[in-house]
Amino acid sequence: SPQPDSAPPAIESQSGGCGAAGSRMTDTRRRVKVYTLNEDRQWDDRGTGHVSSCYVERLKGMSLLVRAESDGSLLLESKINPNTAYQKQQDTLIVWSEAENYDLALSFQEKAGCDEIWEKICQVQGKDPSVDITQDLVDESEEERFDDMSSPGLELPSCELSRLEEIAELVASSLPSPLRREKLALALENEGYIKKLLEIFHVCEDLENIEGLHHLYEIIKGIFLLNRTALFEVMFSEECIMDIIGCLEYDPSLSQSRKHREFLTKTAKFKEVIPISDPELKQKIHQTYRVQYIQDMVLPTPSVFEENMLSTLHSFIFFNKVEIVGMLQEDEKFLTDLFAQLTDEATDEEKRQELVNFLKEFCAFSQTLQPQNRDAFFKTLSNMGILPALEVILGMDDAQVRSAATDIFSYLVEYNPSMVREFVMQEAQQNDDDILLINLIIEHMICDTDPELGGAVLLMGLLRTLVDPENMLATANKTEKTEFLGFFYKHCMHVLTAPLLANTTEDKPSKDDFQTAQLLALILELLTFCVEHHTYHIKNYIINKDILRRVLVLMASKHAFLALCALRFKRKIIGLKDEFYNRYIMKSFLFEPVVKAFLNNGSRYNLMNSAIIEMFEFIRVEDIKSLTAHVIENYWKALEDVDYVQTFKGLKLRFEQQRERQDNPKLDSMRSILRNHRYRRDARTLEDEEEMWFNTDEDDMEDGEAVVPPSDKTKNDEDIMDPISKFMERKKLKESEEKEVLLKTNLSGRQSPSFKLSFSSGTKSNLTSQSSASNLPGSPGSPGSPGSPGSPGSVSKSTSQMTAITTKGGLVGLVDYPDDDEEDDEDEDKEETLPLSKKAKLESS
């Protein structure tokens, strides 16, 4: 878009020579949005542009100019008036009034730009740029200011009906100056003026003197804007507060007075769910409710300059709430009675609903507390038995009571998930699974009657917080993650997955209405989170319960969002590149529902099409050999005609290269020598691997590390040694042959795939049972692996040095002696290097 410095000359001339500043205005520091305040006191966006400040001849002074970034037109031309009060807010906002009812604001993209323009404004007005309002004091001479400050105080007119207009004008004229506000506030405090004004209010109401009532409205509103705690304490006292609200009913801008006092005395009822014996506490609750009502309902929406003048009113309400929470918390009898009645079966439903609503409001009030006070608050509730009480309440039939109990539970989970986890694990030792607190939460989520499942979404978020390992504690003698996840998968996971399993018994979902689909999508979202964060717990559950096959039934749902959720779940599993999962997928032919969904989607270019192609592309790019072979062997005919992407042809090419190496042991062995520069880990039995999964904390596992499974068939050592012997007999291959072999592995100019030869006792020749050795971290072909093609000298060293066979427990691993290059050796993973004592030199067989 045209920049301001490229604007037409006519526009430049309007600015009085500001065109030269254009290059600076293109800087993002000068990028601003211009806002004006409308009649409804809402900010209207007038456009985005770049601001500059310069002398404008027509306006005879330094001015602010904003040119639109779209077309260079002038959005704003405003003279910096020496007497205008400019205000800086939130580091990036400058606000001022051009006329009585015309407020303007510049919202800067960057703080630096705001500071720059602010300095210009302060420079014109002769102010220190450290101030936030340029007109803190009225513009008087130093002598007048000194006299004003040294004078004893402000003298108020006598409080009479005939002088109300004079009083209102005095209050209004004092508000712009902090010094005058201070003096006015002191005068009102010292002379008991507020109570005298309220006496006149009664006279005006009796006489129906509307003009006097309008003046009183302006006076009382002005007193609010003085922002003085001492005045609020008088105004909000028991004897004055209702009269203050009465004064604020007579807004001159309204044709008819409001009925605030009538609402507070007749409509709003104070319910004492548990009798409060402390009169001071009771009075404080009444006062807080009424002051909150004044703030929210009675006072007009403050203008941009008045907003900061009500900060003391916000603080008054805040500290009142803190005091109420503290007084209730210390009243042990009150809390004991509260929890006793909550859990008493004899308590009628209406009373219980009132008790739960009170407890919910009590917890909401606690959010105003400082962290240390909030700790004490929740500790008190915990000691009083709030969690067992919630368990009882959540088991009841009343939906409103359960909803309020859910809100209370959310406060507890957000504050301290560990406290909730500890409670549910303790109760599991005494109670059946059906009445465990966490299972009640899951059931309420499943049974949410809201068509949009608003409650279920909230509860799913709470469950996610509870099962998130990131916020679980780990101490020297106790690991919360191990204990809680073990508990959750044993006692709760079957409740969470019950709707999923019940709905996927056939080839397509048995219920496929929108609400069921939404619920299943929520459950899948949590299961996907578990796959990512819980590793072996969820892996064991998915494979033992055949969860993935059931989830993929949902690919046939008529709701695209649910089918995509099912696909996302599978994609997360494949993304782990774990051979346990891969073998499970291949054994159960779990690509079939995905391929069917892909074919049923036809030629539509939509999210389903893209997501499925991305999954196969991931398998190709990451070179997951077992899945590549499985897909091509079983689904190639269905996919071979897809040519608008190269994904499937690329998979076929990968597969053919794998088969070529399998059919040609000489090439396979040689590529292993050329590319493999690491020792293999010892093979383990399946039982050993399972043991390792359950004894190793996930955090200790290497990222992306897969456990190497055993193979199903066995080979004798001679069969394994044969390709090595043949290699040693032909180790002096011609240079051209070596190049030819290396070139064969390139995929049309792409990076060479990663291959790693492993000899495990009884390795299957079938590609579908290959181990995940190729996916171990640092496999050859990963960037920088010393054995990968392209590493300087890798071919000559690998082919010229003696090679050793490591034998241990039936494992034969092909290894190299360390290179002369010591720096490369230092970078190698020390963990995978076997001791020299376990190496046996190769002998000709």
Side-chain angles (χ1 to χ4, degrees):
S1 59
Q3 297 298 333
D5 56 356
S6 62
I11 294 177
E12 289 187 0
S13 63
Q14 286 180 13
S15 67
C18 283
S23 59
R24 294 173 64 198
M25 292 196 297
T26 58
D27 191 340
T28 55
R29 288 183 309 163
R30 296 294 191 91
R31 193 164 184 264
V32 294
K33 272 187 180 291
V34 180
Y35 291 95
T36 57
L37 200 65
N38 62 27
E39 291 177 357
D40 299 324
R41 310 304 294 171
Q42 301 294 320
W43 289 105
D44 291 335
D45 184 354
R46 294 299 184 192
T48 303
H50 291 84
V51 65
S52 66
S53 63
C54 59
Y55 186 84
V56 176
E57 186 66 36
R58 184 172 59 81
L59 299 176
K60 305 293 183 189
M62 291 295 289
S63 303
L64 297 175
L65 290 98
V66 179
R67 291 189 181 280
E69 66 179 2
S70 57
D71 56 8
S73 61
L74 209 56
L75 292 177
L76 175 72
E77 186 180 58
S78 171
K79 180 182 176 182
I80 302 173
N81 193 311
N83 299 319
T84 298
Y86 289 86
Q87 186 174 357
K88 186 167 77 162
Q89 298 178 358
Q90 302 168 10
D91 289 337
T92 56
L93 205 62
I94 295 177
V95 184
W96 72 98
S97 291
E98 286 280 282
E100 190 173 343
N101 287 315
Y102 188 61
D103 290 354
L104 282 160
L106 292 180
S107 177
F108 287 77
Q109 182 172 329
E110 295 182 14
K111 179 180 181 297
C114 183
D115 291 344
E116 200 173 323
I117 294 299
W118 183 249
E119 284 179 20
K120 295 282 185 187
I121 293 169
C122 292
Q123 187 180 340
V124 171
Q125 294 200 342
K127 302 292 180 184
D128 184 343
S130 63
V131 300
D132 287 336
I133 304 176
T134 60
Q135 298 298 313
D136 272 352
L137 295 170
V138 291
D139 283 328
E140 306 160 316
S141 69
E142 287 299 320
E143 188 178 344
E144 287 174 328
R145 190 178 303 167
F146 178 79
D147 290 342
D148 204 13
M149 291 176 72
S150 59
S151 61
L154 188 71
E155 191 173 336
L156 291 168
S158 58
C159 196
E160 297 170 7
L161 180 58
S162 59
R163 304 191 72 174
L164 283 178
E165 185 175 0
E166 186 183 344
I167 297 167
E169 287 176 359
L170 175 67
V171 171
S173 65
S174 300
L175 289 176
S177 163
L179 183 60
R180 287 186 181 176
R181 285 206 305 269
E182 183 76 17
K183 290 189 174 183
L184 176 60
L186 287 170
L188 290 168
E189 285 175 46
N190 296 336
E191 298 181 25
Y193 211 80
I194 292 173
K195 289 184 179 178
K196 293 177 186 176
L197 287 169
L198 296 180
E199 288 172 11
I200 296 177
F201 167 69
H202 287 291
V203 173
C204 288
E205 274 208 315
D206 292 342
L207 298 174
E208 295 184 359
N209 183 342
I210 300 300
E211 187 183 355
L213 291 169
H214 284 170
H215 289 318
L216 280 165
Y217 171 89
E218 297 292 353
I219 293 166
I220 296 300
K221 179 190 167 190
I223 293 173
F224 267 96
L225 297 176
L226 292 175
N227 215 19
R228 295 278 292 198
T229 305
L231 293 177
F232 287 155
E233 285 174 357
V234 175
M235 294 161 74
F236 300 150
S237 63
E238 189 75 26
E239 59 180 310
C240 294
I241 190 165
M242 294 306 284
D243 289 339
I244 292 290
I245 292 170
C247 289
L248 294 171
E249 288 179 354
Y250 294 95
D251 185 345
S253 64
L254 301 175
S255 57
Q256 200 170 0
S257 63
R258 298 290 179 86
K259 305 290 184 187
H260 296 304
R261 286 171 294 173
E262 186 179 321
F263 172 82
L264 289 170
T265 52
K266 295 180 180 177
T267 310
K269 299 293 182 186
F270 175 62
K271 288 188 177 179
E272 228 174 321
V273 289
I274 303 286
I276 296 172
S277 54
D278 186 348
E280 186 187 348
L281 173 60
K282 196 181 293 188
Q283 191 272 328
K284 189 72 70 179
I285 292 170
H286 281 298
Q287 184 190 57
T288 305
Y289 175 76
R290 288 166 181 168
V291 176
Q292 185 97 53
Y293 181 82
I294 290 173
Q295 183 192 44
D296 296 341
M297 305 299 296
V298 181
L299 285 175
T301 305
S303 73
V304 68
F305 289 111
E306 293 169 349
E307 198 152 352
N308 291 333
M309 294 179 177
L310 292 174
S311 59
T312 306
L313 180 62
H314 300 312
S315 300
F316 188 94
I317 296 167
F318 174 84
F319 287 113
N320 261 20
K321 288 181 177 180
V322 170
E323 212 172 325
I324 290 168
V325 172
M327 292 167 83
L328 285 172
Q329 196 177 322
E330 290 165 12
D331 192 339
E332 286 191 15
K333 183 180 184 307
F334 179 87
L335 288 178
T336 305
D337 291 349
L338 173 68
F339 284 104
Q341 290 190 39
L342 263 177
T343 53
D344 188 353
E345 292 181 6
T347 306
D348 64 72
E349 284 188 13
E350 188 178 349
K351 177 72 170 176
R352 197 186 314 278
Q353 189 174 331
E354 290 174 358
L355 289 164
V356 174
N357 284 334
F358 169 80
L359 188 55
K360 173 184 167 182
E361 195 172 350
F362 191 34
C363 290
F365 267 37
S366 75
Q367 301 305 297
T368 61
L369 298 174
Q370 295 296 318
Q372 63 271 24
N373 296 337
R374 204 178 310 152
D375 284 349
F377 172 81
F378 281 111
K379 200 166 281 183
T380 301
L381 289 188
S382 179
N383 294 338
M384 297 303 295
I386 189 168
L387 284 165
L390 284 179
E391 197 168 53
V392 172
I393 299 164
L394 286 167
M396 294 177 177
D397 296 331
D398 191 325
Q400 284 184 310
V401 169
R402 288 202 312 268
S403 174
T406 301
D407 290 337
I408 297 167
F409 182 70
S410 71
Y411 283 121
L412 294 170
V413 171
E414 286 165 16
Y415 166 70
N416 190 347
S418 290
M419 179 178 79
V420 177
R421 284 191 282 258
E422 187 176 352
F423 169 76
V424 295
M425 285 192 289
Q426 285 175 354
E427 66 163 350
Q429 298 168 8
Q430 295 116 17
N431 297 335
D432 296 334
D433 286 0
D434 293 344
I435 58 171
L436 294 180
L437 177 59
I438 202 163
N439 284 345
L440 289 171
I441 293 295
I442 294 171
E443 283 170 20
H444 289 320
M445 183 195 79
I446 292 169
C447 301
D448 188 6
T449 53
D450 178 7
E452 297 296 325
L453 294 186
V457 171
L458 168 68
L459 293 172
M460 183 59 74
L462 297 178
L463 283 173
R464 184 172 175 146
T465 302
L466 286 173
V467 301
D468 187 354
E470 294 297 318
N471 61 45
M472 294 185 186
L473 304 174
T475 57
N477 56 355
K478 181 172 122 179
T479 306
E480 186 181 19
K481 181 162 65 172
T482 306
E483 290 185 10
F484 181 75
L485 291 183
F487 155 83
F488 183 78
Y489 280 86
K490 182 178 180 182
H491 297 280
C492 310
M493 187 56 102
H494 66 279
V495 183
L496 179 67
T497 55
L500 172 68
L501 297 175
N503 209 36
T504 53
T505 52
E506 306 296 331
D507 291 339
K508 60 181 183 178
S510 48
K511 276 183 75 179
D512 204 18
D513 58 279
F514 179 70
Q515 196 162 349
T516 304
Q518 272 194 307
L519 176 64
L520 293 179
L522 278 176
I523 293 171
L524 279 177
E525 190 180 326
L526 187 61
L527 289 177
T528 305
F529 177 83
C530 294
V531 167
E532 184 176 1
H533 293 277
H534 293 174
T535 62
Y536 58 84
H537 286 99
I538 188 71
K539 182 195 299 186
N540 192 44
Y541 189 81
I542 287 172
I543 293 175
N544 288 342
K545 302 290 184 185
D546 199 15
I547 295 293
L548 180 55
R549 184 178 64 79
R550 304 293 284 272
V551 166
L552 291 174
V553 169
L554 302 176
M555 292 287 292
S557 169
K558 67 184 180 186
H559 299 285
F561 70 88
L562 180 57
L564 285 164
C565 279
L567 184 63
R568 193 181 305 123
F569 179 70
K570 180 171 182 177
R571 173 65 178 81
K572 184 66 73 174
I573 288 174
I574 289 175
L576 296 175
K577 298 190 284 188
D578 185 311
E579 281 300 312
F580 280 119
Y581 276 132
N582 292 349
R583 285 202 303 277
Y584 162 59
I585 289 169
M586 293 184 297
K587 182 180 177 183
S588 302
F589 293 92
L590 295 183
F591 276 102
E592 189 171 318
V594 177
V595 174
K596 274 185 182 175
F598 182 68
L599 297 176
N600 290 338
N601 191 62
S603 58
R604 283 174 292 179
Y605 178 50
N606 52 18
L607 193 55
M608 178 64 72
N609 174 277
S610 299
I612 293 174
I613 288 174
E614 189 278 334
M615 184 169 72
F616 285 113
E617 180 69 10
F618 176 82
I619 294 170
R620 186 193 70 78
V621 170
E622 295 296 321
D623 195 18
I624 305 177
K625 296 179 175 57
S626 53
L627 295 184
T628 300
H630 177 75
V631 169
I632 296 303
E633 286 173 351
N634 294 284
Y635 308 106
W636 173 244
K637 286 190 177 177
L639 302 170
E640 64 179 332
D641 293 333
V642 179
D643 56 5
Y644 53 87
V645 289
Q646 295 304 305
T647 295
F648 300 109
K649 287 181 170 51
L651 274 175
K652 183 74 162 26
L653 187 56
R654 290 274 199 205
F655 172 68
E656 288 169 350
Q657 289 170 338
Q658 289 176 33
R659 194 160 58 179
E660 183 182 346
R661 287 191 301 279
Q662 185 188 13
D663 294 342
N664 193 336
K666 178 193 74 172
L667 295 182
D668 209 14
S669 300
M670 193 203 71
R671 284 193 59 75
S672 179
I673 290 289
L674 292 176
R675 304 191 61 167
N676 189 1
H677 198 62
R678 290 188 168 194
Y679 300 113
R680 285 294 317 285
R681 293 179 185 273
D682 293 348
R684 295 183 173 90
T685 62
L686 182 61
E687 291 76 13
D688 289 341
E689 289 300 342
E690 291 292 338
E691 185 81 9
M692 187 187 78
W693 273 112
F694 284 91
N695 288 337
T696 306
D697 195 297
E698 300 99 296
D699 296 337
D700 297 331
M701 298 289 286
E702 290 181 27
D703 288 342
E705 181 173 346
V707 178
V708 182
S711 302
D712 301 312
K713 294 182 181 178
T714 57
K715 273 188 176 183
N716 59 40
D717 285 353
E718 288 181 7
D719 290 338
I720 297 169
M721 295 290 287
D722 185 59
I724 304 165
S725 305
K726 288 179 180 177
F727 164 72
M728 292 305 294
E729 289 169 9
R730 298 177 177 84
K731 66 178 180 176
K732 294 185 178 180
L733 288 169
K734 292 179 182 178
E735 187 79 8
S736 60
E737 282 184 4
E738 290 177 357
K739 288 179 181 175
E740 184 181 342
V741 171
L742 289 172
L743 286 170
K744 278 185 181 178
T745 62
N746 288 329
L747 293 177
S748 59
R750 299 181 186 270
Q751 184 183 357
S752 298
S754 169
F755 297 112
K756 184 167 183 177
L757 178 65
S758 62
F759 296 108
S760 179
S761 57
T763 303
K764 271 191 180 183
S765 60
N766 191 339
L767 277 167
T768 58
S769 65
Q770 281 188 359
S771 77
S772 62
S774 59
N775 297 321
L776 286 169
S779 59
S782 61
S785 285
S788 62
S791 295
S794 59
V795 175
S796 61
K797 286 182 183 177
S798 299
T799 54
S800 63
Q801 290 187 1
M802 285 297 292
T803 309
I805 293 297
T806 307
T807 57
K808 181 178 177 182
L811 173 76
V812 183
L814 194 59
V815 301
D816 291 341
Y817 280 116
D819 286 336
D820 296 331
D821 188 348
E822 292 179 2
E823 288 181 5
D824 283 356
D825 289 345
E826 286 171 6
D827 292 335
E828 288 298 310
D829 187 352
K830 296 288 199 304
E831 183 188 346
E832 295 195 12
T833 305
L834 297 177
L836 284 171
S837 59
K838 294 189 178 181
K839 296 177 182 176
K841 287 191 177 179
L842 182 68
E843 296 176 4
S844 56
S845 54

